[in-house]
Amino acid sequence: MRELDKFDLVVIGGGTAGLIASRTAASFGARVALIEDNLLGGDCLWTGCVPSKSLIAAANVAATARSSARLGVRVGDVVVNFAQVMTHVQDAMQEIAPVDSAESLERDNIDVVIGRARFTGPDSVNVNGRELRFHQALIATGAAPALPDIPGIDAVDLLTSETFWDLRTAPEQLVVLGGGALGCEIAQAMARLGTAVTLVQRGPRILPKEDDRASSLIQAALIADGVDVRTNFTAIAVTSTNRLAGTLSLDDGTALTFDRLFVAVGRRPNTAGLDLHSVGVRRDGHGNIVVNSRMRTSNPRIWAAGDVTGLPRFTHTAGVNANLAATNAILGLTRPVDKEAIPRVTFTYPEVGAVGLQSRDAEAGAHRIVTWEHEQVDRAVTEAKTGGYTQLIVNKRGRILGGTVVGPRAGETLGEISLALKNRLTTSSIASTTHAYPTYNDGLWSVAVADVRHRLGSGLVLTATRILRRLRKARLR
Ligand SMILES: Cc1cc2nc3c(=O)[nH]c(=O)nc-3n(C[C@H](O)[C@H](O)[C@H](O)COP(=O)(O)OP(=O)(O)OC[C@H]3O[C@@H](n4cnc5c(N)ncnc54)[C@H](O)[C@@H]3O)c2cc1C
Ligand SMILES: NC(=O)c1ccc[n+]([C@@H]2O[C@H](COP(=O)([O-])OP(=O)(O)OC[C@H]3O[C@@H](n4cnc5c(N)ncnc54)[C@H](O)[C@@H]3O)[C@@H](O)[C@H]2O)c1
């Protein structure tokens, strides 16, 4: 660590938001210190995206092997070695870790300080008894699993996204509480790996943020994989038989036996111990740090990004918003955050990808919902994976305002829809772009062509087409 006494930017938290903010600021020549309390890489690398997608990859291989006879390939019994699955999960994390390491950050001229940060004054942070002074600071301390307040729940060692990755033996009976992205991904993956899984969702449907039909398709897919999906139930008590196992009582009088209970009911921001009061950084009713459209907090010297804010909790939003905050902080710019073109993907099978408006947001007369069934996507037919759809929400001129894709590679197709949304493109732009055949993106191409045809068949465009045809005929006479 260099001994110059004041940093241009002190970043608290070494997850995606903190790493990106530090690198952005350092690339502008700023003097940057990054403080991390635990492991550099944060949630995405150690407890979130990377381990969960590695687990899902193994689960999908098991499911593909089991269903291969349908395509004429018979394999023997599918045997899952859960300890080896978890070795694969650990290997994936270790392979990515060097990118986020202290050595790599120091090569980018970032001073890394390991320890827990606490604000001690308007321009100072204390770490392990040591004072770091800053011109500006950025809070990127992330979030942790929220725990529901259910009588008896403290008597069992819950599985959460933080503890699950330490498992080396698969539970036999897993109860998953919460049917959001996390609950659905884990429930399906574990069912595919051979665990008996029950998913309890408080509301009427799983994945409630998604299009109704997407929720129904994922619910059907989970059930097909053997998950016992219980929607519209409230858990009222936990009775433990030992520190790990017990029963979960539901409000209809039934009780679910589990040997592990996985809790996936949302996240709460990590702000404890930062002493935000002392620096005048405001939080909302959920404890999220309040930021303006430029990612600045109520203290103009302090910025925040990532899961600790109330903005959508994804790795890509953490990275993009942190980059924006650091750019605004160091260069004095006033670039606003993008709140419209925020894509999200739930990595169940099939995947659900969504961005912008959804069918429930479409206003009659102003918007149209155009849908293409994957039964008509040749790639899906060749792979026998036709149970999905591509849907766009467009305005009268065909401008793309949002979309939902359900299918095996929905997340890949979503990139093109996000690009269209961000750049205010119409379906004509997609329709007039040649797409390689046969790909899942054919669904998007087809839905765009269908929309252009619809517009050609009505209103001004129809009149213009008719006039052109008449003129052409007259010339040919
Ligand atoms: C199981 C799971 C799967 C997920 N899958 C996806 C996915 O597929 N795609 C996607 O986009 N998103 C996914 N997410 C969400 C994604 O992981 C988060 O949105 C993202 O990692 C948030 O990054 P962050 O930098 O804001 O916070 P974090 O990565 O949590 O980083 C915060 C860091 O701050 C440190 N810290 C906290 N307090 C202090 C302090 N006082 N002093 C010093 N350091 C401190 C913490 O140790 C931590 O390392 C998933 C999340 C989970 C739980
Ligand atoms: N693919 C991805 O991008 C991905 C995957 C996993 C997690 N994540 C992120 O991780 C975070 C956590 O995910 P999550 O699924 O826990 O949060 P979430 O808020 O998306 O979903 C929680 C679900 O639990 C339900 N719920 C709440 N209390 C309940 C209770 N007592 N009993 C039963 N159900 C209850 C809610 O209705 C909701 O559907 C999110 O911010 C998410 O963005 C993202």
Side-chain angles (χ1 to χ4, degrees), residues 12-18 35-39 41-44 47-49 52-53 115-117 140-143 161 165 182 267 270 274 305-307 313-316 318 347:
I12 306 176
T16 304
I35 307 169
E36 169 55 52
D37 179 35
N38 189 7
L39 292 173
D43 186 40
C44 181
T47 53
C49 330
S52 62
K53 270 74 250 182
R116 195 155 189 80
T141 47
S161 60
W165 315 109
L182 176 55
R267 315 263 299 163
N270 290 328
L274 282 172
D307 279 10
R313 290 193 163 114
F314 301 111
T315 293
H316 41 278
F347 294 90

Side-chain angles (χ1 to χ4, degrees), residues 80-113:
V80 174
N81 181 326
F82 190 72
Q84 276 178 11
V85 169
M86 293 312 247
T87 302
H88 154 69
V89 169
Q90 296 295 330
D91 288 349
M93 298 193 279
Q94 294 301 337
E95 198 170 328
I96 295 173
V99 180
D100 298 345
S101 67
E103 296 73 36
S104 153
L105 289 159
E106 276 157 11
R107 276 197 297 275
D108 289 339
N109 290 321
I110 296 159
D111 286 326
V112 177
V113 183

Side-chain angles (χ1 to χ4, degrees), residues 102-135:
E103 296 73 36
S104 153
L105 289 159
E106 276 157 11
R107 276 197 297 275
D108 289 339
N109 290 321
I110 296 159
D111 286 326
V112 177
V113 183
I114 300 299
R116 195 155 189 80
R118 179 173 57 86
F119 286 102
T120 46
D123 68 347
S124 60
V125 171
N126 183 291
V127 194
N128 302 334
R130 173 162 165 226
E131 214 75 351
L132 298 185
R133 294 184 57 225
F134 60 79
H135 291 289

Side-chain angles (χ1 to χ4, degrees), residues 1 7 9-11 22 31-35 110-113 132:
M1 161 87 51
F7 289 90
L9 188 70
V10 163
V11 176
S22 302
R31 189 169 175 231
V32 180
L34 171 63
I35 307 169
I110 296 159
D111 286 326
V112 177
V113 183
L132 298 185

Side-chain angles (χ1 to χ4, degrees), residues 43 48-49 52-53 56 143-150 161 176-186 199-209 230 233-235 248 250 262-267 307 311-316 343-348 352:
D43 186 40
C49 330
S52 62
K53 270 74 250 182
I56 288 168
L147 300 179
D149 186 16
I150 302 171
S161 60
V176 175
L177 197 58
L182 176 55
C184 289
E185 287 183 1
I186 290 287
L199 175 71
V200 180
Q201 163 69 345
R202 192 165 53 182
R205 61 193 184 91
I206 59 168
L207 297 181
K209 293 173 192 159
R230 310 272 182 114
F233 282 102
T234 300
L248 180 75
L250 304 181
F262 186 97
V263 172
V265 297
R267 315 263 299 163
D307 279 10
L311 295 168
R313 290 193 163 114
F314 301 111
T315 293
H316 41 278
R344 58 177 185 275
V345 180
T346 301
F347 294 90
T348 42
V352 180

